[in-house]
Amino acid sequence: MTTPVAPFNGQAIGLAHYASRAALERVLARSGTTFEQSVALRAASGDGGTVERALVVGRLTAGLKIDESAARRTVGELTARGLLEEPTPERVSLTDAGRELFSSIRAAGDEIASRVYAGIPAEDLAVVARVLALVTERADAELAGE
């Protein structure tokens, strides 16, 4: 069953986002992981799995539009669960358990994406990526009061 094509607007973007996110949330629920925690694990996975705490907090605040205290709380939750450790006060590292969990989340997310995007021509996906990047840039400017 195909859905009639609605005009491209914020509602269309939101519907696509929430449908995709709901599919991922089912995967996350199995491990007791929140969406915010999964984003933090992704941020921490860079640079060999040890990064500046500020980088993780910054990715959460900028990407999810949450405040710094909520981002720091998310990092604290992952530390309490033993998924992150703090080799220094300024840095966080994925533990073996954190690395394993992130790997399984990423694999499941990749599988979902491959099914969701299957059959969509690469050139269409490239156009959507450019348009969404521009929409994000403009919305970020609105938030910044520009």
Side-chain angles (χ1 to χ4, degrees):
M1 175 175 153
T2 60
T3 305
V5 177
F8 183 78
N9 56 26
Q11 182 179 10
I13 294 168
L15 289 172
H17 163 76
Y18 286 117
S20 299
R21 182 170 167 174
L24 180 60
E25 294 268 7
R26 280 195 292 182
V27 170
L28 297 173
R30 291 183 211 134
S31 64
T33 305
T34 67
F35 182 74
E36 292 80 3
Q37 290 170 349
S38 73
V39 172
L41 288 171
R42 177 175 295 280
S45 72
D47 201 23
T50 298
V51 298
E52 296 292 324
R53 174 189 303 278
L55 182 138
V56 177
V57 170
R59 293 258 176 94
L60 289 166
T61 58
L64 300 181
K65 310 303 184 225
I66 61 175
D67 64 36
E68 187 173 331
S69 65
R72 290 188 179 283
R73 188 170 43 255
T74 298
V75 172
E77 292 165 356
L78 291 170
T79 302
R81 287 182 61 191
L83 301 171
L84 289 178
E85 59 189 1
E86 301 169 313
T88 71
E90 299 84 26
R91 297 180 70 75
V92 293
S93 297
L94 286 174
T95 63
D96 289 341
R99 199 176 311 277
E100 184 178 317
L101 176 61
F102 173 66
S103 179
S104 70
I105 290 169
R106 184 179 57 206
D110 288 349
E111 289 173 11
I112 291 167
S114 71
R115 290 189 299 273
V116 169
Y117 300 127
I120 301 173
E123 54 274 2
D124 289 351
L125 293 173
V127 169
V128 170
R130 286 193 304 274
V131 170
L132 290 177
L134 183 57
V135 169
T136 301
E137 180 182 313
R138 291 178 179 180
D140 284 343
E142 284 290 321
L143 287 170
E146 296 176 4

